[in-house]
């Protein structure tokens, strides 16, 4: 159920509370133009004080309430295209860990930014703790305010921009919402939010205990992050809003330390006031009243957070006759039964949807585990196959020969006019192992024979081989160029047992090192 303002009601009222004070404003609307007609600030400990009467005009009056502080969680989220009715259930499942309190204990609302047809849905989610909402209503009720709609800082700022005559957001503009121990940083462009971030500093009073320096630091970090994430879009100006009293020195200090031109927004210059219930310092209280003005313009239309009223107590107050009591009692029973039945089924449906999402996530995890297990089994099979192949070659498995020394002896004894074209290992059926070398020797006559004899003698005399002999030799055809004449050869060289001992010694040395 969405709480909308009646189109015939030209008087818009809103209230916000912070630092033990309640700010109340009343606006008039004519042909889309808003004017601030009444405003005041009172203590939360007073019960319907005299200064409230000119603003509310009745003993109790409906108003939009601006909720801020640690009981409100606001975050900009991007989701894949889904049905609007599924958004809340998805947010409860995906954003519960990022919220400062369990979302199951909160009233949740979301509003879309831009088109719903884009590949990624841009949403600003708002969660309000039910217990905090209840206490807030009790505070407001003591001063004669009945809450019919809820607004948060991003909602109020957006409405303020749309109703303003002096705020320009053609370029990215920063709005700093200050309150006790907290700061909200919101960047808007073309009247829509692009960035929102809230930082809690813990207990503190206004600008004391280095509060202003921390605000400047957070402004600097947030604006730089925004520029990086948005391909160099820069923020050059901004406004201060909120309940903390500000002055020009405060704005100048933030501007100097953050590099952005900051000024205190004054709603009195924007929304002409034709009367006031109490003379307030406009320069000091302007930023605080600005947030309430934004909430009043929004009229509770953006967030779908119900300000649940006690319809049972209201019904009892209307009963005046005995007959009406019986009729009212019957209607009360039927209404109460329907209400609690619908609430129960709604809670069950919410739990069922949450379980469905949990089951889907678990199925995805199981499928991933199964896929990884299949890949692991495949790799295990490949490893076993490689081990079997290695065991076919005990020379390789046991590292029985110094292959580095063998290759080095062949390369050292190979003549300059000779080249190897092939190399093979002959295991044979005996313990004697040999290598077969095939290659080419170039040159004329005795030069080729000398080179081949030099290779045979060098291999036979080396530590790696016991003996070497020619297996095949063939004269190659040439095109008449005697300098390019060549012969092809194949040499068998037995690997000596000494090379195996040498290999084991080298292996032991490497392990010791």
């Amino acid at each position: 159920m969405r709480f909308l303002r009646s189109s015939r009601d030209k008087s818009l009222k809103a209230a916000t509370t912070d630092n033990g004070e309640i700010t109340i404003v009343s606006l008039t609307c004519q042909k889309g133009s808003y004017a601030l007609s009444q405003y005041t600030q009172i203590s939360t400990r007073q019960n319907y004080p005299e200064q409230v009467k000119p603003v509310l005009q009745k003993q109790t009056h409906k108003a939009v309430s601006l909720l801020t502080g640690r009981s409100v969680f606001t975050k900009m989220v991007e989701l894949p295209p889904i049905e609007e009715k599924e958004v809340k259930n998805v947010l409860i499942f995906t954003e519960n860990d990022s919220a400062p309190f369990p979302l199951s204990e909160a009233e949740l609302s979301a509003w879309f930014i831009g088109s719903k047809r884009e590949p990624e849905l841009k949403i600003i989610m708002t969660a309000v703790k039910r217990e905090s909402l209840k206490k807030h209503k009790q505070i407001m009720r003591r001063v004669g305010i009945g809450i019919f709609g809820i607004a948060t800082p991003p909602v109020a700022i957006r409405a303020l921009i749309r109703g303003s005559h002096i705020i320009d957001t053609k370029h990215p503009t920063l709005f700093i919402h200050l309150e006790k121990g907290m700061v909200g940083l919101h960047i808007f462009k073309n009247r829509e939010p692009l960035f929102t971030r809230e930082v809690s500093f813990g207990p503190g009073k206004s600008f004391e205990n280095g509060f202003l320096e921390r605000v400047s630091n957070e402004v600097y970090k947030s604006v730089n992050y925004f520029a990086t994430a948005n391909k160099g879009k820069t923020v050059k100006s901004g406004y201060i809003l909120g309940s903390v009293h500000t002055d020009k020195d405060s704005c100048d200090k933030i501007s100097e330390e953050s590099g952005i031109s900051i000024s205190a927004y004054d709603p009195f210059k924007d929304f002409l006031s034709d009367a006031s219930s109490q003379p307030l310092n406009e320069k000091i209280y302007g930023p605080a009243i600005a947030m309430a003005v934004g909430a009043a313009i929004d009229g509770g239309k953006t967030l779908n957070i119900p300000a649940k009223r006690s319809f049972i107590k209201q019904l009892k107050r209307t009963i005046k006759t005995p007959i009406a009591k019986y009729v009212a009692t019957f209607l009360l029973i039927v209404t109460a039964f329907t209400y609690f039945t619908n609430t129960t089924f709604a809670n069950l449906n919410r739990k069922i949807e949450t379980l469905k999402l949990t089951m889907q996530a678990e199925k995805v995890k199981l499928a991933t585990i199964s896929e990884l297990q299949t890949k692991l089994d495949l790799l295990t099979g490949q490893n076993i196959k490689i081990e079997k192949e290695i065991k076919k070659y005990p020379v390789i498995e046991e590292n029985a020969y110094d292959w580095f020394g063998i290759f080095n002896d062949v390369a050292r004894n190979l003549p300059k006019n000779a080249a190897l074209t092939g190399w093979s290992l002959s295991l044979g059926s005996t313990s004697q192992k040999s290598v077969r070398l095939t290659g080419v020797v170039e040159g004329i006559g005795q030069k080729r024979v000398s080179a081949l004899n030099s290779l045979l003698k060098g291999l036979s005399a080396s530590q790696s081989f016991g003996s070497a002999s020619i297996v095949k030799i063939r004269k190659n055809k040439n095109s008449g160029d005697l300098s390019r004449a060549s012969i092809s050869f194949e040499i068998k060289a037995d690997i000596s047992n000494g090379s195996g001992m040498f290999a084991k010694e080298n292996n032991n040395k490497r392990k010791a090192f």
Side-chain angles (χ1 to χ4, degrees), residues 415 446-459 470:
Q446 190 61 32
K447 190 175 182 180
R448 294 176 297 186
V449 176
S450 298
L452 195 57
N453 287 333
S454 174
L455 177 60
L456 290 172
K457 290 180 180 180
L459 294 176
I470 296 177

Side-chain angles (χ1 to χ4, degrees), residues 18-215:
D18 188 44
N19 291 337
E21 291 183 335
I22 299 176
T23 301
I24 307 171
V25 299
S26 177
L27 277 72
T28 59
C29 177
Q30 293 182 354
K31 298 180 180 181
S33 180
Y34 300 94
L36 180 61
S37 58
Q38 302 282 347
Y39 60 93
T40 188
Q41 284 186 329
I42 61 173
S43 172
T44 56
R45 293 182 294 273
Q46 293 179 273
N47 294 326
Y48 199 71
E50 291 296 323
Q51 59 264 40
V52 180
K53 293 181 180 180
V55 181
L56 298 179
Q57 299 175 353
K58 300 179 182 179
Q59 186 66 25
T60 57
H61 198 96
K62 298 179 182 179
V64 177
S65 181
L66 179 71
L67 291 182
T68 62
R70 298 175 182 83
S71 61
V72 181
F73 174 62
T74 302
K75 182 179 180 181
M76 187 173 290
V77 181
E78 290 188 358
L79 296 176
I82 57 176
E83 294 184 12
E84 186 173 354
K85 63 180 181 180
E86 298 294 334
V87 170
K88 286 187 179 181
N89 293 331
V90 172
L91 291 176
I92 290 175
F93 180 73
T94 59
E95 302 298 329
N96 190 65
D97 292 339
S98 62
F101 46 80
L103 294 182
S104 59
E105 301 175 1
E107 293 291 348
L108 186 65
S109 182
W111 45 292
F112 294 87
I113 304 172
S115 174
K116 298 181 182 179
R117 298 181 180 179
E118 295 180 0
E120 293 286 337
L121 294 177
K122 294 183 180 180
I123 297 171
I124 289 187
M125 64 167 290
T126 301
V128 181
K129 291 180 69 175
R130 293 192 185 96
E131 187 63 28
S132 299
L133 180 59
K134 181 180 178 181
K135 292 180 180 179
H136 183 76
K137 285 171 52 184
Q138 292 173 350
I139 294 174
M140 292 296 182
R141 192 179 297 118
R142 283 202 300 266
V143 297
I145 300 175
I147 300 174
F148 81 94
I150 299 297
T152 56
V155 172
I157 294 172
R158 186 177 73 157
L160 188 67
I161 295 172
R162 294 184 175 184
S164 172
H165 300 287
I166 62 176
I167 297 178
D168 182 11
T169 57
K170 291 180 181 178
H171 303 285
T173 306
L174 175 67
F175 293 85
I176 307 173
H177 171 234
L178 297 177
E179 59 179 293
K180 185 177 180 180
M182 289 190 68
V183 60
L185 304 172
H186 312 281
I187 299 176
F188 281 73
K189 181 182 178 183
N190 295 329
R191 301 181 176 182
E192 291 296 340
L194 299 180
F195 174 87
T196 180
R197 178 170 177 253
E198 294 178 343
V199 183
S200 175
F201 297 147
K205 295 183 179 180
S206 63
F207 291 120
E208 296 178 6
N209 302 323
F211 180 76
L212 189 59
E213 288 76 10
R214 299 188 67 179
V215 170

Side-chain angles (χ1 to χ4, degrees), residues 230-446:
N230 291 273
K231 300 179 180 180
K233 290 183 179 179
T234 58
V235 179
K236 297 182 179 180
S237 62
Y239 297 95
I240 288 183
L241 310 167
S243 58
V244 173
H245 300 168
T246 56
D247 52 29
K248 187 176 184 302
D249 292 339
S250 303
C251 297
D252 291 343
K253 186 172 181 61
I254 297 178
S255 300
E256 181 182 352
E257 296 187 6
S258 64
I260 301 172
S261 177
I262 302 296
S263 59
Y265 172 73
D266 188 357
F268 300 101
K269 294 180 180 179
D270 206 353
F271 302 93
L272 298 177
S273 176
D274 54 12
S276 67
S277 58
Q278 180 182 355
L280 298 178
N281 187 323
E282 296 182 355
K283 292 184 179 180
I284 293 179
Y285 291 93
I289 292 177
M291 296 299 291
V293 169
I297 295 175
D298 176 73
K301 293 180 292 186
T302 300
L303 298 182
N304 190 18
I305 297 178
K308 299 175 182 176
R309 300 180 62 194
S310 179
F311 66 90
I312 297 178
K313 293 182 179 179
Q314 185 178 6
L315 182 61
K316 285 182 178 180
R317 286 195 294 266
T318 62
I319 299 174
K320 296 181 180 179
T321 63
I323 296 178
K325 289 182 180 180
Y326 291 114
V327 175
T329 302
F330 174 75
L331 293 176
L332 182 62
I333 293 173
V334 173
T335 305
F337 177 77
T338 305
Y339 171 78
F340 289 115
T341 302
N342 292 338
T343 303
T344 302
F345 279 109
N347 291 334
L348 288 175
N349 288 334
R350 188 184 296 118
K351 292 180 179 179
I352 290 172
E353 292 298 329
T354 303
L355 288 174
K356 285 182 180 179
L357 292 173
T358 304
M359 289 177 62
Q360 291 176 359
E362 291 298 327
K363 287 181 179 179
V364 171
K365 289 181 180 179
L366 290 175
T368 304
I369 293 174
S370 177
E371 182 180 354
L372 291 175
Q373 185 63 46
T374 302
K375 292 182 179 179
L376 180 61
D377 293 341
L378 181 61
L379 292 174
T380 302
Q382 293 177 353
N383 189 38
I384 293 174
K385 184 178 178 180
I386 293 172
E387 288 180 355
K388 289 181 179 179
E389 291 293 331
I390 290 176
K391 289 180 180 179
K392 291 181 181 179
Y393 302 95
V395 174
I396 299 174
E397 182 185 25
E398 298 173 4
N399 194 21
Y401 296 97
D402 180 18
W403 294 106
F404 177 79
I406 292 173
F407 291 138
N408 191 39
D409 283 343
V410 172
R412 185 171 57 250
N413 290 289
L414 190 67
K416 292 183 179 180
N417 60 330
L420 290 181
T421 60
W423 176 297
S424 63
L425 173 66
S426 177
L427 298 177
S429 58
T430 64
S431 60
Q432 183 64 49
K433 308 296 185 296
S434 64
V435 296
R436 287 180 180 267
L437 308 175
T438 58
V440 178
V441 179
E442 292 183 342
I444 302 173
Q446 190 61 32

